[in-house]
Amino acid sequence: MRFTPSIFGKLLEPIKRRQFDSLVARHAGDAYVKSFPSWNHLLALVYAQFSAAVSLHGLEAGWNANSQHHYHLGSGRLVRSTLSDANKRRRLLSSRRPSAGWQANWIGRRDATARKW
């Protein structure tokens, strides 16, 4: 039988899995993680956003209702307690202080763009 990607899979196509994995490795995003890698966490959070899930129970029920479609995404069933633990333990990128180099680069680009007009 021929494989046809799901709509959710098509929405995730712009996210390059290899690039995502290299970023996770560079920032040690999966350090001390045994069963719920960052890729699965990202998939769950994106699904929660698109499905407008208002609770972990609703997210779990919606995700697991179509679990046969998650094989090609590299993910499996979702467990509420695992997702809750991952949300508590993983650091947010926004909570990290940006480096001075990043700020200087961003300000330089903004000033260069302003000068063009």
Side-chain angles (χ1 to χ4, degrees):
M1 180 174 211
R2 186 165 190 255
F3 167 71
T4 305
S6 65
I7 294 171
F8 186 60
K10 289 291 231 178
L11 288 171
L12 292 170
E13 279 181 1
I15 301 173
K16 306 294 183 221
R17 176 78 186 263
R18 285 186 182 176
Q19 186 177 11
F20 180 81
D21 288 340
S22 69
L23 288 171
V24 169
R26 184 182 323 150
H27 296 286
D30 280 340
Y32 309 109
V33 174
K34 295 179 182 175
S35 63
F36 195 63
S38 294
W39 178 253
N40 291 355
H41 196 191
L42 175 71
L43 292 178
L45 295 177
V46 170
Y47 180 82
Q49 188 68 35
F50 283 134
S51 67
V54 294
S55 67
L56 288 177
H57 181 71
L59 173 60
E60 177 192 28
W63 179 266
N64 292 336
N66 295 311
S67 61
Q68 70 275 11
H69 296 289
H70 305 314
Y71 171 78
H72 290 284
L73 296 174
S75 184
R77 295 184 61 80
L78 186 62
V79 179
R80 222 175 333 160
S81 61
T82 305
L83 182 60
S84 176
D85 291 343
N87 286 339
K88 278 190 243 176
R89 292 182 183 166
R90 291 215 167 101
R91 295 178 295 181
L92 297 174
L93 288 176
S94 61
S95 67
R96 296 182 187 163
R97 294 190 64 209
S99 65
W102 176 84
Q103 290 173 342
N105 188 18
W106 184 80
I107 291 169
R109 277 197 216 155
R110 185 188 64 189
D111 291 343
T113 305
R115 279 183 259 152
K116 287 181 182 177
W117 296 97

